[in-house]
Amino acid sequence: MRALLTIAHLTLHEAARRRILTATLIGAVAFLVLYGIGFHFVARNIQQQAGPSALQQRFLLNFLTLAGLYATHFLTLMTAVLLPVDTLSGEIASGVAQTLASKPVRRSDIVLGKWLAFCTVTVAYFVVVAGGVLLLARLLGHFTPPGLAQGLPLMAFEAVVFVSLSLAGGARLSTVTNGIMAFGLYGLAFIGGWVEQVGTMAGNVAAQNVGTVASLIMPTEALWQRAAYYMQPSIMRDLNMTPFSAGSLPSPAMVWYAIGYALLALAWGIRGFRKRAL
Amino acid sequence: MTALAIETYGLRKRFGEKLAVADLSLTLKRGEVFGFLGPNGAGKTTSLKMLLGLIEPTAGSGTLLGRPIGDRVTRGRVGFLPEHFRFQDWLTGRELLRFHGKLYGLRGRALDGRADQLLARVDLLDAADRPIKGYSKGMTQRIGLAQALLNEPDIVFLDEPTSGLDPLGRLLVRDLIRELRDGGTSVFLNSHLLGEVEATCDRVVFVKQGRVVHELDMAVRTHGLEVELRVEGAPERLLAEHGMLLGHADGVVRLRVPDDEALPRLAEALVRSGAKLYGMTAHRKSLEETFLTVMGEDQRPG
């Protein structure tokens, strides 16, 4: 356990020293500034117009906030893929892994220490960006979406899924191959999710099945859909009024599936690193 | 406690089609400085990595400090300096030692004290708080050496430790190896620099295609001395009595004798026999000559 924490500490130290944290934070702030400006003007427009009813105003503000959270979901997943993508493959290629693995340390502790550190950084990033989006919505639009207690943990868990996958891939694949695999899976889940939404709206069963299969291959989009479901007023969900209203709500089993998926990915990575000739 | 630091039986490693190590059987006594020699591609680094548990052998077995190779706890008593080694170069020298010390289970004052002691030993105290990426090649190699000695190991594996070092750096490594031996630490030295090996090792083995082909005890070199005589009228019988005749041409006789003591005896005998002795030079067969003989003429530069 001590070795695991030492590795985690070193990984965090590396992220800070190599200005990875600074770069990530600057990106987050830039996004929040842009989002705040946009939100400000749209919210002012909504509030100044005499037309929309209170319900319509609420609908628009919820849509805006969810759009911000969707962007957060995307940015968090990018961070979750990019942060750990070369940590194992890079250290294996450079020989740094040799000096670590020749110490009295379990190889699994090396993987798990890094996993812990990258999960911490990515989830912290998510908390900053999602917190910023919600704070802006509160300050500029006097609006807070419902169901945050259920929605936000699901979104944070999406990051854990991708950190596990990207880290594990590095134990077996080169950095480039690993990046292509992770982004490929993200793209597949993204397209699959939207095909499913459109399929549900149009009543097309084949399209819905495409979405389900995509969710099994990469369950993060399903987690997002379930999170978005919680974070909308029930009337909007029922009326399918926004692109974020999940036409077909992923079942709770999907959450368990995603947990199993992350654990398996991690186990696959640990096994790969243990067998790997360094 | 077993008297052997390393014992292996038929270690073999295959990477796909390529056989990197064919059949490695060797022993290393505790406290011995052991040279592992061979041309490039002889499987030296792969062998060393198998002993350290970095690579799993395809076949064969072995022990390190009395425990099966690959044992995690044993690695706590082992130091390792990899070839072309790279570290977390964004750390400072001192941070690197602290971090690696923690992986050895060292903590607090004991760790800080040990780090300072080693920084002084490898002459890096003044650069200790600078990032390693600004170090020269020699400095990186020296901080790597310090890293390998953090845990006061029972055995140290050095893979080409003097590559990239200037003559002063080499001298430092040579002295360090002697200190380690005096302290009872075994040293496993992988090196191309035969002069280096000659100066430090107690015993060397030569490997070729992942097999030990020759072993040499440096203390009792059985090859003796080669003597070159410029002599006239020396009876062949008398020469043969003192050593093995290697060649005889144009008044120059080449002879191999067992040891230094044979030289005055030979000179005296020649003078007594009435032969005219104009010159006599003796030299020990260098490790390089032995290396070339053992590896054979068919070796091409790796």
Side-chain angles (χ1 to χ4, degrees):
Chain A
M1 193 63 190
R2 263 182 154 183
L4 191 156
L5 293 177
T6 305
I7 300 276
H9 181 228
L10 181 84
T11 311
L12 288 174
H13 193 69
E14 178 177 13
R17 189 63 68 83
R18 294 174 77 183
R19 301 197 205 115
I20 294 167
L21 291 187
T22 317
T24 323
L25 209 62
I26 290 173
V29 170
F31 163 70
L32 287 173
V33 167
L34 268 178
Y35 179 71
I37 293 169
F39 198 102
H40 166 73
F41 285 113
V42 177
R44 196 175 63 176
N45 215 357
I46 293 170
Q47 281 151 0
Q48 278 172 354
Q49 279 174 357
S53 65
L55 181 69
Q56 274 173 315
Q57 278 193 18
R58 202 170 145 69
F59 160 76
L60 280 169
L61 288 170
N62 193 264
F63 174 74
L64 270 181
T65 314
L66 274 188
L69 289 175
Y70 188 70
T72 306
H73 145 91
F74 173 77
L75 289 173
T76 307
L77 292 193
M78 290 302 100
T79 312
V81 169
L82 289 174
L83 269 184
V85 74
D86 87 323
T87 184
L88 287 176
S89 50
E91 289 188 357
I92 292 168
S94 70
V96 168
Q98 285 177 30
T99 41
L100 293 183
S102 59
K103 300 285 184 300
V105 176
R106 286 186 191 89
R107 291 211 187 167
S108 57
D109 282 352
I110 297 177
V111 180
L112 288 172
K114 286 175 179 290
W115 181 81
L116 185 65
F118 287 122
C119 282
T120 307
V121 173
T122 321
V123 170
Y125 173 83
F126 167 72
V127 168
V128 168
V129 181
V133 165
L134 293 170
L135 188 71
L136 287 169
R138 180 90 217 141
L139 291 177
L140 302 174
H142 311 290
F143 176 79
T144 300
L148 293 179
Q150 290 101 322
L152 293 180
L154 285 177
M155 289 180 73
F157 187 64
E158 289 182 58
V160 174
V161 171
F162 259 112
V163 166
S164 311
L165 189 74
S166 176
L167 181 69
R172 294 171 179 264
L173 310 169
S174 73
T175 304
V176 175
T177 318
N178 188 21
I180 290 172
M181 178 199 72
F183 279 114
L185 285 173
Y186 171 77
L188 186 120
F190 173 82
I191 298 293
W194 289 102
V195 167
E196 186 177 8
Q197 294 283 47
V198 174
T200 310
M201 284 185 198
N204 185 324
V205 179
Q208 288 176 37
N209 289 342
V210 168
T212 310
V213 172
S215 297
L216 289 174
I217 299 174
M218 173 38 79
T220 48
E221 203 68 17
L223 291 178
W224 158 254
Q225 283 169 7
R226 202 168 167 84
Y229 172 85
Y230 287 123
M231 294 185 292
Q232 296 176 67
S234 57
I235 178 138
M236 285 171 62
R237 298 197 297 241
D238 298 343
L239 293 177
N240 259 342
M241 284 166 73
T242 73
F244 305 119
S245 325
S248 61
L249 173 71
S251 80
M254 205 50 169
V255 179
W256 290 109
Y257 179 79
I259 292 173
Y261 188 95
L263 287 175
L264 269 179
L266 198 56
W268 178 68
I270 290 173
R271 198 180 140 76
F273 192 59
R274 269 159 75 171
K275 295 273 166 205
R276 185 79 191 245
L278 297 178
Chain B
M1 197 167 86
T2 152
L4 292 176
I6 296 176
E7 196 170 15
T8 71
Y9 310 97
L11 281 183
R12 169 191 286 265
K13 183 67 195 177
R14 185 180 278 287
F15 293 107
E17 287 289 293
K18 188 176 168 268
L19 187 63
V21 175
D23 172 15
L24 186 79
S25 300
L26 54 84
T27 55
L28 195 158
K29 294 188 214 67
R30 283 191 189 249
E32 187 174 42
V33 178
F34 179 85
F36 198 54
L37 303 180
N40 287 336
K44 297 192 303 290
T45 296
T46 305
S47 303
L48 188 145
K49 286 181 176 178
M50 280 196 282
L51 293 170
L52 283 161
L54 292 172
I55 291 180
E56 217 173 310
T58 313
S61 65
T63 59
L64 176 64
L65 302 171
R67 305 270 304 156
I69 55 171
D71 179 64
R72 179 174 62 87
V73 180
T74 309
R75 289 205 295 270
R77 290 152 57 207
V78 173
F80 172 43
L81 173 68
E83 189 188 7
H84 317 299
F85 89 123
R86 283 267 314 274
F87 280 149
Q88 297 82 357
D89 59 5
W90 39 271
L91 289 171
T92 68
R94 192 188 303 277
E95 284 171 338
L96 180 99
L97 294 188
R98 285 204 183 130
F99 166 66
H100 283 271
K102 280 184 187 164
L103 292 180
Y104 276 123
L106 296 169
R107 289 290 183 276
R109 269 200 206 154
L111 173 57
D112 290 350
R114 183 71 182 145
D116 279 343
Q117 187 192 350
L118 284 167
L119 283 167
R121 185 63 193 89
V122 297
D123 199 14
L124 281 175
L125 261 185
D126 51 346
D129 298 309
R130 297 210 316 255
I132 292 171
K133 61 169 158 279
Y135 280 18
S136 69
K137 203 172 169 196
M139 288 161 86
T140 318
Q141 198 72 0
R142 280 186 278 147
I143 197 75
L145 261 171
Q147 167 276 147
L149 304 177
L150 273 163
N151 56 335
E152 298 181 60
D154 292 339
I155 180 167
V156 186
F157 289 84
L158 304 174
D159 200 355
E160 303 291 350
T162 47
S163 72
L165 291 184
D166 57 20
L168 284 174
R170 283 186 196 170
L171 202 61
L172 184 133
V173 173
R174 210 181 279 186
D175 288 346
L176 261 175
I177 292 176
R178 291 212 182 99
E179 279 170 34
L180 288 168
R181 174 173 46 196
D182 294 345
T185 304
S186 313
V187 179
F188 188 107
L189 180 66
N190 225 356
S191 181
H192 281 114
L193 300 170
L194 299 176
E196 218 59 47
V197 173
E198 206 157 16
T200 47
C201 289
D202 300 320
R203 193 159 60 92
V204 297
V205 301
F206 295 78
V207 281
K208 193 171 166 181
Q209 285 144 13
R211 274 195 183 86
V212 175
V213 288
H214 190 71
E215 191 179 323
L216 198 58
D217 193 328
M218 301 295 276
V220 201
R221 290 236 224 132
T222 51
H223 290 255
L225 296 167
E226 254 186 55
V227 189
E228 207 175 271
L229 301 166
R230 285 200 301 120
V231 66
E232 215 169 82
E236 292 242 347
R237 185 186 45 79
L238 185 133
L239 290 171
E241 270 172 25
H242 285 82
M244 193 170 83
L245 203 55
L246 299 172
H248 192 167
D250 302 334
V252 176
V253 175
R254 281 172 47 246
L255 193 68
R256 178 171 295 156
V257 299
D259 52 29
D260 289 313
E261 293 310 309
L263 299 174
R265 283 202 303 269
L266 174 63
E268 199 184 334
L270 281 171
V271 174
R272 271 202 194 154
S273 74
K276 288 180 179 169
L277 182 61
Y278 297 103
M280 183 173 185
T281 49
H283 76 279
R284 200 173 285 281
K285 191 173 182 183
S286 74
L287 200 56
E288 186 170 315
E289 287 170 86
T290 313
F291 183 88
L292 293 173
T293 316
V294 168
M295 290 305 154
E297 297 298 322
D298 56 331
Q299 281 293 318
R300 301 207 315 261

